[in-house]
Structure formats: C-alpha cells, structure tokens
Amino acid sequence: MIFLDRLFGTNEHIIIKKEILQGLFRYATRTLSALLIVEALFLFLFLPEVGNILYLWFAATSVIILSRLYDAYRFRHDPQRYSLSVWHKKFLIKAWLTAFFFTLMMLYTIPQLNTYDQLFLFTILLGVTGGAVNSLSSDHRIALGYLAILLVPLSVDMIFFVTGVNSIIMGLLLLLYFYSLVSVILQAAEEKKILESKKQEIIRVESELYEKKEMLELFFDQAPIGIFLYDTKYVITDTNRAFLELFGRQREEMIGFRLENLPDQSPIVPLRKALTEGTQTYIGPYRSVKGELLWVEAKTSPIYNSTHEIIGGIVLIENKTKEHNALEELQYSALHDSLTSLSNRRGFRKYMEKMISQEKHSSYYSALFYLDLNQFKQVNDSLGHAMGDKVLAAIAKRLTHQIGDAENITRLGGDEFIIVVPFIDTDLKRTKESIEAHIQSIQQAFHDPFMIEGVRLHMKSSIGIVIIEPGFDNIEEIVRYADISMYQAKRHGQDFISYYNMKLDEERRKVFDLQHQLVAALGNNELELYFQPIVQIKDNTMIAAEALIRWEHPQNGLMGAESFIPIAVESGIIVDIGWWVIEQVCRQIAAWKEKGLWTLSYLSININAKQLLKSDFAEVFIGKLEQYGVESSDIKIEITETSLIDNFNMTQEVILTLQRYGIGCAIDDFGTGYSSLSYLKKLSFSLLKIDKTFMDGLEKNRENRKLVHTMIDIGKQFDYAIVVEGIENTDQKEIIQKIDDSLCYQGYLFSKPVAETEFEESFLR
Ligand code: C2E
Ligand code: MG
Ligand code: MG
C-alpha cells in the first residue's frame, strides 16, 4: 500500500479530489457490464481449447468485477462510507486486479490458439483497452497502470516466447498500440491539468470577485458619506443610506430621480462634466429640499463598463457643514470686534488688501475716514467702562445704519473707527463732493444724543480723511496718513475734520520730534522763566507779574510758550513742566525776599487743568510753598477757561481746596470759552483775565469794545478783580481806562515778558 501511495501519490496527504472519483465511478457500471459480457464471450469461445481451468478464471474475474460494480453502487449512494482516498485505493487495486486476471488468461491462452483466434483475441483486447482508456480517463495514473498490466506482458510474450513471425509482428504492433495509448493519455492528462488550473483560477477569481462585491455592497450601505449613482441620462440609479439620511429623503423617491430636477442646481455642472472630463469636485453650499443650508464636498467620478464606455457616474458626498460653520465662525471672530461686530484691525487689513487688488482701484479714488471720539475718556472715567462699551456699541450701530454696509467699518480699538468708501469716482472733484456728503452722513450719526441707561450723552468725533489715489497700494502709509489727519482734526480741525496733506505729515513729524526734545529739555536746563508785569491802568504802577515759560532750544533758539505748551499738554509732560515752574517760582520769590526786593502783591503762574486732576496736587503744592517759605498769597494760579470747561466737575474740588489754603486762582484767557460767568462762579475764582484777542483792533472794532465792556461789567458784578491782557498801544489803554479806571492790565505797552535779571533790574530795584 505504501508503495502504491508513493508511486501514485494516493496517500492521505494528497487530496484526491472528489471529482476524479466521480469520473471513475461514473462509467464503471457501463464498462464493467461490458467487461462481464467480454468475459463470458472468452469463456464460450476458448473453453474447447483451454479447458476447464477457464471456469476458475471466469469465477475469479467475475467476483472482482461484481465487487467493483458493488463499489460503484455504494459510492453513488453512500460516498461517506469511506474516505476519498480509501475509495480511490479500492478502485485502483480492483481495476488493476481485473487487468491482471485478463493478462493471466491471455498469457495462458495465446500459445494454444491459431493465428486467426489470436487476432480475434487481440480485437477483443483492443475493445477492452479502448473502453478502459475512456472509463479511466479521470485518473491517468490508474489508466496507465491498467494498460501496462494488460498490454506489456502480452507483447513481450508475443515477441520473445511465442513462435512465428506473425507473433513477433503482432507483439510489436501491440507495443506500438500501447505506446500511442500512453501518449494519448498523457496528453489528455496534461490538457486536463491545464484545464484544471484554469478552472481553479476561475474559481479563485470568482470568489475574490464575490468577496469584493460583498465588501463593496457593505461599504456602499454602511459608508458614513453619502453616495449615489447616476446614469448617462443623469437619472439616479442607486443611493446609500447616508445619502438618504443627509438629505432626509426616501430611497423610493430618489431612484429614478432626474438630476435636472434638483432643487439646488449648484453642483449640477461638475456632475455633467464628470461624464466627459473625468473626476470633478464640488465644494460649496447646497440647500436641501427641507431648506437646510449645508456645506458639502462632492466628488464625482465616471463609471466605465468592461469595454471602457462611460455608463454613468458615482458621487461621494461629505457633509462638511459643521466644520465649515466652525471655520467661518473662527474666521469671523478673527476678523471682527466682539463688542461692536465691526471689522477689527485684521479685518480692516484684509478689506484693504482686497480693495487695492481690485481692477477698479487702478482708476478710482477711494476715501478713508478715521474717527476718534472726543472726550470718550471722560465717559469711561466718570461712568465706568461698561457704559463706555455701550456707547461704543451704540455708535457702531449708528455708523452702520448711516453707511449701510458694516463690512467697511472697522473699530480699530478704543474709541477709534475707520470707514472706507471704496471706488468713489475717477474724477477728483466729484470724489471730494461725495466725501463731503459722507462727512455729513457720518456726523449725522452723532447728531442726536445717545440715551444709555437713562443717561443722555452728547458724543462728537474728530474725523481725519484720506483720499486714496487710484493705484496707491501702501496700506501702512494710508493708515499713517489717516492717523496724521485725525491728529490734526483733533487739534486744529474745523468742526474736528481734517483732510490729509503732505504738510500735515511734516508738521506731525516736527511735533513728534519736539515732544521728544522737550522731555530732554527739562533735564538739560533748557527751560527758563520770563516775567511780565501786571500794572494798574490809572497810574502804571506794577502790582504783580506773570511767570511765562521759554525754551532755549539748541537749534531753534528761544521759543515762546505757544509753540510748545500744546505739545506738552498733549504728551502729558506738562505735568512735569508744571512742577518745574512751581519749584522755580518758589525759589525765585524766596530769593527776591531774601534780597529784600519782593514788593509784588503776587506772582502768577499758569497751570494746566490736567495737572490739577492729579491726586494730591493741592497738598504737594502747599508743601512746596512751605519748603521755600513762600506765603500762599504770594502766588496765584492761572487756569485757562477752555481747559476748565473740559474738566469742570473734576477740577472743582482741587480749586476749592486751594482757596481754603488761601491760594488765589485766576480764570485765564477769559472770553474764549463762551462760558457764562455765573457758571464759573461756582469755582469761586478771585481774578479774571480778559483774553488778549479782544484787544485786536479795539480802536475800530465796536463789537469788541462792547464785548469787553460787558465782560468787565459782569466781572465786577461777580466781585472779580480784573486784568486786561494784550494792551499794546495807548489807544487801547485809553479805551479800557475809560470803561474802568480801577483795572489792571498786562501788555507790551508797559513791558514784554523779560528774563529774570532784566525784570529784577528794571522793575524790582
Ligand atoms: P497767557 O497765560 O494768557 O499769557 C499771556 C500771553 O500773552 C504771553 O504769551 C504773553 O507774552 C502774551 N502777551 C502779553 N502781552 C501781550 C501783548 O500786548 N500783545 C501780545 N500779542 N501778546 C501779549 P506767551 O508767553 O507766549 O504764553 C502763551 C501762553 O502759554 C500763555 O498765555 C499761557 O496760557 C501759556 N503758558 C505760558 N507759560 C506757561 C507755563 O509755564 N505753564 C503753562 N501751563 N502754560 C504756560
Ligand atoms: Mg496766563
Ligand atoms: Mg491769557
């Protein structure tokens, strides 16, 4: 058995395919029945020559053939009875045994037969072998063994042992026949093998295809992205579950749906293009039937058949609404101010970049309005930041309403806003006209008071305007120009409006430089005090003087107060300058007192209201007086009317404290602030200084004369001492003297402000 296993590979390790066995047993009934007949024929024909021994042969062979028939029957009805390899072995042994018995019979019979009978026997043998080749073809090894057992011994016997030339020829012919059968069987086996492997391949491919199909179906159905298929007529042929869920549709509605009937046609172009130009992508909004606005990413690819013709398309749709919205929100907040919802600095930049990149920018003028609220700081300081925020929000709302487009309004931060009006006109004159209209419109936003939490607030804004030339693309410069013009608007602008021009730029630069130099000037002893006498108009006796600051500038020479005090106020350095003046004046008075030259009833100094707002001003000031042994009545503090009005409530307390200490305060430049005296009287000032501008052309200007007259009258009614400033000639002096002879005056007519030594020489000694 092991030998057989080795020889024919029929052991358990080699899988004997069921098919082989089925092939072997399929023809068994027919061929074995034929074999029984052949056997009987042998018995009948050769019994006379061979004798009774043939009965024994017949019996043995019949038993084997019948047993094989029984096997075939059992295999058909009860194949599980044995393992496949056992069935195979059974078949093989019995088939070969059959061949063996036939061979035995023939070897025994042949020598006893005449040539004619031998030929007859061989004819039968050919029939048997032919049938065997056919019936055993399923297993070529069995067939080969079968034929070898049947033909080889007989041919050898014929060639070598049976006498006669005929036998040799017949033996050789038998061998030749055997050889041709073997080659036919081997060839058939080879072809079968090839066929078998092809079959295996097909089975493998089939199963792979099946798996893939299963996978695809599973993926199609379970995929989290929406998928649908459509044909070349743009009719939907299939959809998956995610698709139906995404659009809230039923499968039945969608199958057969024509894409041209989609409620939102935005993705239709890529769907069509995909069938001619290959894969297309659509990223964008899509409004579903339910009206829901989605953001989708749809990738469409054509589908080909086996002959590479396009038979439709497949669309994969991803719902990116959430991501898109989150991104939009993020972008929005990155570019917008949370308080007012206007653009922020970054949003402004983006807007400007977009604007200057547009074609129109090359030929159109645009305008930029830079707004800065006046006195917004006071709102914050006195009413709190929460109120300040509400004011800003309300202003933003009004501006948006006036301008109509929130996109080009920016809150730069704090109380600064920018409005851009793009592409106004190609003509500068018409552009300017349009800008004027826009100014009106912006100012309109501030016209009515703001009612916030029951508080009525009048807000105003300074506006710097930059006309953006066509093609000008330096955003930083535009913003800088805007800043400069705004600054200008704040300081000198009419109605707080100022257009940018180059001169402003230079001025701004100079101011900037001056501010820096001023800080250094304090340390470098470049500041100096001049003194101007205050005299009685009736007899020209000096009773007091005013200390006025000068700056010995290293390059510019001696500079008057007018040319740097406003800058000092703006930068805040005025506070340091103020203390320097106080210190200086105290020292001076002390020095004059020591020399016995102190005959003045007071020396007045100018203090900016900003300084009074600093805590402890009165206390520190008194401390200084004590330090130098100066009486409180020796000094008067002059505060300009305009700065008083700006800070009225807050200065009130300090001024009262100063009065309590016996320090007199004067209202300086009276008449320039248009305030009523009764209002100022609340501050209980003792001295009124009528501004020098009223002296201009006093001789001819009746209006001014009347004004001065009225001011003096009212001033006296409120018990103010009065000093008239700016008397330069005797005409002016006489006019004033006629109005009131008991006044004092200060003016070039008597003396210009002079340096300390000269003042001492000329007026004190
Ligand atoms: P002010 O307090 O009204 O001072 C009087 C100004 O009028 C002085 O100008 C003085 O030179 C000028 N003046 C006097 N008489 C005449 C005249 O007959 N004709 C003309 N045209 N002008 C006359 P100044 O010194 O240039 O000071 C200008 C302003 O600067 C002052 O006006 C005052 O408001 C401010 N100032 C001066 N010194 C100081 C200071 O130390 N601290 C502060 N905070 N402000 C000061
Ligand atoms: Mg003064
Ligand atoms: Mg004055």
Side-chain angles (χ1 to χ4, degrees), residues 624-635:
K624 283 274 169 239
L625 298 186
E626 281 169 2
Q627 185 188 335
Y628 288 95
V630 175
E631 301 288 321
S632 56
S633 59
D634 292 341
I635 291 186

Side-chain angles (χ1 to χ4, degrees), residues 546 606 638 640 668-670 689-692 725 746:
E546 178 174 7
N606 297 281
E638 294 186 10
T640 60
D668 202 356
D669 302 347
F670 181 72
K689 295 186 82 174
I690 295 176
D691 192 66
K692 58 181 178 289
E725 292 185 308
Q746 186 182 342

Side-chain angles (χ1 to χ4, degrees), residues 436-563:
E436 287 299 322
H438 274 97
I439 293 171
Q440 299 248 312
S441 160
I442 293 168
Q443 284 179 330
Q444 192 59 38
F446 294 93
H447 184 266
D448 295 332
F450 292 83
M451 282 300 291
I452 288 159
E453 290 186 356
V455 182
R456 214 177 144 85
L457 289 165
H458 286 272
M459 298 301 299
K460 284 274 172 287
S461 170
S462 303
I463 309 173
I465 301 149
V466 179
I467 300 173
I468 304 167
E469 304 266 331
F472 189 81
D473 60 0
N474 191 332
I475 300 172
E476 276 76 31
E477 280 292 277
I478 295 173
V479 174
R480 204 173 62 82
Y481 295 165
D483 192 40
I484 290 165
S485 55
M486 211 287 304
Y487 172 84
Q488 187 68 14
K490 267 230 140 86
R491 294 180 69 206
H492 314 295
Q494 251 208 339
D495 266 347
F496 297 109
I497 290 167
S498 169
Y499 281 87
Y500 169 77
N501 63 45
M502 278 315 263
K503 264 218 286 333
L504 283 182
D505 204 0
E506 271 167 40
E507 211 171 277
R508 181 80 188 89
R509 238 177 258 256
K510 269 193 205 152
V511 164
F512 184 77
D513 289 346
L514 225 51
Q515 262 175 1
H516 279 259
Q517 291 165 354
L518 195 53
V519 177
L522 255 177
N524 295 347
N525 268 333
E526 287 167 18
L527 300 181
E528 195 183 339
L529 283 183
Y530 272 45
F531 301 92
Q532 187 179 28
I534 297 171
V535 293
Q536 287 185 0
I537 203 162
K538 60 174 186 241
D539 55 8
N540 271 352
T541 35
M542 180 183 78
I543 54 140
E546 178 174 7
L548 294 159
I549 197 161
R550 297 290 177 265
W551 180 4
E552 191 62 61
H553 191 277
Q555 283 91 40
N556 302 356
L558 190 70
M559 288 170 70
E562 223 95 74
S563 54

Side-chain angles (χ1 to χ4, degrees), residues 233-442:
K233 293 195 177 93
Y234 307 105
V235 172
I236 292 181
T237 54
D238 203 357
T239 71
N240 74 343
R241 212 177 318 170
F243 173 88
L244 299 171
E245 276 165 16
L246 177 58
F247 296 104
R249 296 287 204 111
Q250 295 298 316
R251 226 179 110 79
E252 303 77 59
E253 296 177 74
M254 293 322 294
I255 307 295
F257 185 88
R258 308 189 73 83
L259 291 175
E260 66 207 29
N261 295 336
L262 277 180
D264 184 344
Q265 288 282 305
S266 13
I268 204 84
V269 176
L271 291 184
R272 282 186 201 283
K273 260 194 178 173
L275 298 197
T276 51
E277 293 173 27
T279 302
Q280 302 287 320
T281 308
Y282 170 79
I283 300 174
Y286 182 83
R287 195 170 281 285
S288 72
V289 200
K290 290 177 177 171
E292 196 186 352
L293 187 62
L294 305 168
W295 188 268
V296 296
E297 244 183 73
K299 198 167 186 178
T300 310
S301 302
I303 305 174
Y304 298 90
N305 65 8
S306 55
T307 55
H308 214 75
E309 288 160 327
I310 290 175
I311 52 164
I314 179 166
V315 187
L316 311 181
I317 307 167
E318 267 189 279
N319 182 5
K320 297 273 188 175
T321 314
K322 264 192 204 148
E323 292 94 318
H324 178 76
N325 289 352
L327 204 74
E328 285 236 305
E329 226 166 80
L330 205 74
Q331 272 174 350
Y332 183 87
S333 59
L335 301 178
H336 289 82
D337 166 44
S338 59
L339 176 66
T340 59
S341 297
L342 297 174
S343 292
N344 60 14
R345 197 174 282 272
R346 222 184 289 162
F348 165 74
R349 236 212 112 79
K350 206 154 180 206
Y351 178 87
M352 288 301 282
E353 277 165 2
K354 201 171 130 201
M355 192 194 92
I356 59 175
S357 69
Q358 281 179 46
E359 179 67 39
K360 255 184 146 178
H361 179 56
S362 61
S363 52
Y364 275 76
Y365 286 94
S366 303
L368 187 147
F369 301 83
Y370 195 120
L371 277 62
D372 186 300
L373 304 182
N374 301 345
Q375 271 113 37
F376 178 72
K377 198 180 160 315
Q378 272 89 309
V379 175
N380 260 347
D381 289 350
S382 50
L383 301 173
H385 284 263
M387 270 296 261
D389 283 355
K390 282 187 182 146
V391 171
L392 290 173
I395 287 171
K397 214 167 152 190
R398 286 223 195 142
L399 285 175
T400 312
H401 176 76
Q402 278 308 121
I403 304 302
D405 184 2
E407 254 324 283
N408 47 9
I409 309 179
T410 301
R411 179 178 165 233
L412 270 196
D415 58 347
E416 290 170 24
F417 295 85
I418 283 185
I419 297 168
V420 179
V421 182
F423 317 133
I424 297 176
D425 207 302
T426 51
D427 176 68
L428 182 59
K429 198 169 154 257
R430 284 200 299 272
T431 302
K432 280 183 176 165
E433 283 162 13
S434 167
I435 287 176
E436 287 299 322
H438 274 97
I439 293 171
Q440 299 248 312
S441 160
I442 293 168

